Amino acid sequence: MRFMDRDYDVIVIGSGAAGLAAAVAAADAGASVLVCEGDTRVGGSSRLSGGHFYAAGTSVQQEVGVEDTADAMFEHYMTLNQWLVDPAVVRKYCDLSAPTFEWLKNLGVNFPKEGVYPSGVGSTPRGHQPEGSGEEVVNVLDGHRSHKGVELVLNARVTGLITDDDGRVTGIEIGEDRATCGAVILATGGFGANPDMIEKYYPQAAATGDWRWYIGSEGAQGDGITLGESVGAVVDGHDRGLLLVTPGFSHDLEVILPPWLILVNKEGRRFTNESAPYTVLGGLIQHEGGAAWAVFDERARAAAKPSPVSQAYWVADVLQQKADEGRICRADTLEALAGQLGVNGQGLTGTIEKYNTDVAAGSDSSFFKQGTLTTITEPPFYGVEVRPAIVCWTGTGVRVNADTCVVNESERAIPGLFAAGETIGNLHGDRYIGGGGSFGPCIVFGKLAGENAARYAKSLNT
Ligand SMILES: Cc1cc2nc3c(=O)[nH]c(=O)nc-3n(C[C@H](O)[C@H](O)[C@H](O)COP(=O)(O)OP(=O)(O)OC[C@H]3O[C@@H](n4cnc5c(N)ncnc54)[C@H](O)[C@@H]3O)c2cc1C
């Protein structure tokens, strides 16, 4: 029997990749679905995203001859994070990554074989770059949402959850308005645009002060956490997320450092291969106290040309201009540069002497940096502080079980409440698995939440 007083089987809060995948899957499972979106258009941060999908065992990997399995992905994920992640949730992501990837592909997202690449610290190519980036993924999913007759309300920021006497979530509130349902899916994204939540849940990011900026959408206010907590959800994943490295003087996004500079710590010593993947570079700088200094010479500056990965500010004229403005330190000797930067002078001169010897011998014997290495010999010398301070996504969120049910302190599922996407807090560890490691699970758990929420809501009808 159907409860006629219920407006929808499933209400999805948020229309990013996770919310749209949930809506499409719930509709496919026969549910009546409403999507509420606080913004004036669908897509959230997903629309701004590269939309890369980290997955193992896909047809596109096979096309390029990559043998890969969910088991291998799980082992890598767990090892990279020293097992400090929720194995059941990680396992589910790994197991469903390929089937969900194929589902998205079948919906019409094109993943060319040229877009398969090793997107993390491992050598297995698991990153899948879609044609048209995250925007195209959003458009494809939203097209299916609309085609399946799933209702969407824009400018509709959900402000509360309705529960019955047993604590079961039975609907949503948007100010004075209410809608009832069998199940709610939280898919509200992260909280990168909310400074108070950054302060509370992401102290590493908060510590970067006014260097910090967020590249995602304004809708990332952490509402999933607030709404979840209002009905007893546990919040997990404290101080986790992805911080990208910036010299502070530009709000352009350049994810990869050029090979012609070196990074030193407060002691003036190198501590990493400067070409380390962005997935770990921020953490390495964090380990050095949250700041490092990029050092290079006049020859490198003058030769710094735009490249596919570096176009905005690691280029000759911008570096010159920033040095003239005093945003980059410049000195005729390394000792004087060290003084300006506040790093140990003996450390810096010794480090550069060794680096120059290595470059002359043709290899970086300490950190194995590849590419064209250049000596640092020609004055003036330049140095600029860099910090991991660009918030890409946030990792704190509501805790779910492997079936996407939001759980309370007793690890019991809160009846009628599901979550997916950046709003869940127990998937990511201290280290980002690689490009596609946030967007991929948004689709995986979005689809799963849609299916499970539809099944749950329908079970109430009998
Ligand atoms: C520029 C950029 C590039 C990125 N590139 C990649 C990449 O290539 N690979 C990768 O893995 N990750 C990437 N990421 C991260 C990844 O894209 C995001 O983590 C992911 O898209 C989040 O999807 P989501 O559906 O959880 O949230 P979103 O896409 O942010 O959607 C959440 C939606 O919920 C809405 N909302 C919030 N609160 C409410 C409320 N109370 N009521 C109604 N609606 C609400 C928001 O307005 C928003 O539209 C990138 C992020 C950015 C910003």
Side-chain angles (χ1 to χ4, degrees):
M1 189 188 83
R2 188 174 171 81
F3 288 110
M4 296 309 288
D5 58 344
R6 193 185 302 142
D7 299 320
Y8 300 90
D9 290 323
V10 176
I11 294 180
V12 180
I13 311 177
S15 69
L20 290 172
V24 171
D28 276 346
S32 62
V33 185
L34 170 71
V35 177
C36 299
E37 168 54 55
D39 204 345
T40 52
R41 63 173 188 166
V42 296
S45 295
S46 302
R47 183 182 283 287
L48 310 173
S49 159
H52 297 199
F53 195 132
Y54 190 92
T58 69
S59 57
V60 188
Q61 281 178 313
Q62 279 160 22
E63 262 184 77
V64 292
V66 174
E67 297 279 331
D68 196 12
T69 62
D71 284 347
M73 176 172 158
F74 178 71
E75 188 181 331
H76 178 65
Y77 202 124
M78 296 302 288
T79 307
L80 183 69
N81 282 296
Q82 299 174 48
W83 290 32
L84 295 169
V85 278
D86 191 325
V89 175
V90 173
R91 183 76 232 187
K92 186 73 87 169
Y93 166 36
C94 298
D95 286 346
L96 294 183
S97 69
T100 310
F101 175 88
E102 303 306 332
W103 174 79
L104 187 62
K105 211 176 127 197
N106 287 334
L107 289 181
V109 177
N110 185 26
F111 287 94
K113 61 180 189 205
E114 298 72 27
V116 178
Y117 69 109
S119 63
V121 291
S123 56
T124 307
R126 294 199 179 107
H128 296 71
Q129 188 174 359
E131 214 167 72
S133 302
E135 174 147 36
E136 176 63 8
V137 180
V138 164
N139 290 341
V140 167
L141 285 170
D142 194 43
H144 284 274
R145 175 209 54 80
S146 164
H147 185 67
K148 288 173 195 306
V150 171
E151 280 180 58
L152 165 73
V153 275
L154 297 172
N155 270 320
R157 183 174 179 183
V158 172
T159 49
L161 297 177
I162 305 168
T163 52
D164 67 11
D165 292 344
D166 299 327
R168 193 170 66 78
V169 176
T170 54
I172 55 126
E173 293 171 341
I174 300 172
E176 305 280 288
D177 294 331
R178 307 177 123 217
T180 55
C181 59
V184 167
I185 300 174
L186 300 172
T188 55
F191 57 88
N194 182 335
D196 291 339
M197 282 218 181
I198 293 271
E199 198 74 41
K200 183 169 177 187
Y201 294 119
Y202 201 179
Q204 282 181 62
T208 62
D210 57 10
W211 282 57
R212 189 184 75 243
W213 59 284
Y214 174 56
I215 59 172
S217 83
E218 268 306 302
Q221 297 292 334
D223 285 2
I225 294 178
T226 314
L227 293 168
E229 279 188 312
S230 74
V231 294
V234 171
V235 174
D236 211 340
H238 187 70
D239 211 13
R240 287 177 169 173
L242 179 63
L243 291 174
L244 302 171
V245 175
T246 172
F249 56 67
S250 169
H251 274 197
D252 289 298
L253 183 61
E254 291 197 3
V255 174
I256 296 169
L257 292 173
W260 43 258
L261 55 72
I262 61 165
L263 282 184
V264 297
N265 61 14
K266 197 85 183 148
E267 285 84 48
R269 278 188 293 104
R270 284 178 82 205
F271 56 92
T272 181
N273 172 348
E274 292 78 7
S275 301
Y278 70 88
T279 56
V280 293
L281 188 60
L284 290 163
I285 296 177
Q286 211 60 258
H287 193 67
E288 297 298 327
W293 290 264
V295 176
F296 50 96
D297 72 355
E298 174 59 17
R299 188 149 49 99
R301 185 210 61 77
K305 294 195 174 60
S307 73
V309 292
S310 180
Q311 288 162 1
Y313 52 83
W314 293 115
V315 294
D317 52 346
V318 178
L319 296 172
Q320 178 78 31
Q321 185 199 331
K322 293 300 169 192
D324 292 346
E325 291 170 4
R327 303 293 303 266
I328 293 178
C329 295
R330 178 166 51 197
D332 286 334
T333 64
L334 288 171
E335 290 80 0
L337 183 71
Q340 285 185 33
L341 297 175
V343 307
N344 183 299
Q346 283 185 341
L348 183 66
T349 49
T351 292
I352 290 185
E353 205 176 290
K354 177 170 189 320
Y355 184 70
N356 288 341
T357 306
D358 269 2
V359 174
S363 79
D364 172 11
S365 66
S366 301
F367 295 100
F368 313 117
K369 181 162 63 171
Q370 302 290 311
T372 313
L373 307 182
T374 47
T375 54
I376 300 174
T377 47
E378 190 178 313
F381 300 102
Y382 298 86
V384 61
E385 186 176 341
V386 296
R387 295 184 194 175
I390 304 172
V391 180
C392 183
W393 55 264
T394 52
T396 313
V398 293
R399 184 170 176 78
V400 291
N401 64 23
D403 293 322
T404 69
C405 303
V406 179
V407 299
N408 63 18
E409 261 179 7
S410 322
E411 284 289 303
R412 289 205 188 92
I414 297 169
L417 190 61
F418 297 78
E422 206 177 312
T423 201
I424 69 171
N426 54 322
L427 173 66
H428 298 287
D430 281 341
R431 292 294 161 264
Y432 185 42
I433 188 76
S438 182
F439 201 90
C442 285
I443 306 280
V444 167
F445 289 115
K447 176 172 181 284
L448 185 64
E451 291 163 352
N452 290 346
R455 190 175 310 117
Y456 174 83
K458 286 175 155 293
S459 75
L460 301 173
N461 295 343
T462 50

